Amino acid sequence: MKTVKLQDVIDSENHVKADTWESRRLVLKKDNMGYSVHDTVIKAGTETHIWYQNHLESVYCIEGEGEVETVKDGKVWPIEKDTIYVLDQNDEHYLRAKTDMRMVCVFNPPITGQETHDENGVYPLVED
C-alpha cells in the first residue's frame, strides 16, 4: 500500500512545468502499476499540440473549461468539469483552455515522470 499527497509532489522533481501546462506526477512507472496518474493544470488561454504516439491516455476534468480538437477529422469536443475524454487511438490533438483546467490524467504505458512533450507533442517511450 502506498499513499501520495499532492502537496508533497508540488515543487518536487515530479512537478514538471511547461509554457501551457504543469503536471504533478503522482503514480509513475517505478510504482509498477502498469499506468501512471498525473494531476495536471492546463493554463487559461493556451493551446497545446499533443500526440501521444507511444501512450494511451484518459483525462478527467475536475475544474475549468476548454476543448479538445482531433487533428485527423477536425472534430471539437467541449471539455468542462466532470467530463472525461479518452485518447484510445493515439489521437493527435489540440487541447485549448478557456479557463485554467485541472485534469486527472492516466497513461498506459506509464511514464517515468520527467518526460515533456517533444516538438511533435510526443512523450518518448522509455524502456527498462
Side-chain angles (χ1 to χ4, degrees):
M1 171 83 185
K2 170 182 181 167
T3 64
V4 178
K5 291 187 177 228
L6 178 61
Q7 67 192 30
D8 295 334
V9 173
I10 293 175
D11 293 327
S12 76
E13 67 179 8
N14 293 335
H15 186 177
V16 178
K17 300 176 183 180
D19 291 339
T20 61
W21 54 269
E22 59 182 86
S23 179
R24 291 81 66 102
R25 281 87 191 262
L26 303 168
V27 177
L28 297 167
K29 184 175 182 174
K30 68 181 179 181
D31 297 312
N32 296 312
M33 294 299 296
Y35 56 84
S36 56
V37 179
H38 315 183
D39 182 305
T40 300
V41 175
I42 309 299
K43 297 176 185 177
T46 64
E47 176 181 87
T48 305
H49 173 245
I50 306 170
W51 190 8
Y52 296 126
Q53 297 172 348
N54 303 309
H55 300 84
L56 299 177
E57 182 190 26
S58 295
V59 182
Y60 181 63
C61 180
I62 58 176
E63 291 178 13
E65 182 181 358
E67 65 184 23
V68 173
E69 178 182 353
T70 48
V71 171
K72 73 177 178 181
D73 59 12
K75 189 167 181 180
V76 176
W77 288 270
I79 303 299
E80 61 187 12
K81 180 181 178 190
D82 298 331
T83 303
I84 189 169
Y85 65 92
V86 179
L87 301 163
D88 60 345
Q89 298 177 20
N90 304 97
D91 307 273
E92 181 178 8
H93 61 286
Y94 290 97
L95 179 56
R96 299 180 188 103
K98 294 179 184 174
T99 65
D100 279 355
M101 293 194 305
R102 186 170 171 209
M103 319 289 255
V104 176
C105 308
V106 178
F107 285 88
N108 180 16
I111 68 165
T112 65
Q114 297 307 304
E115 291 90 343
T116 58
H117 300 128
D118 69 13
E119 66 278 0
N120 296 313
V122 177
Y123 280 159
L125 183 60
V126 179
E127 299 291 340
D128 290 332

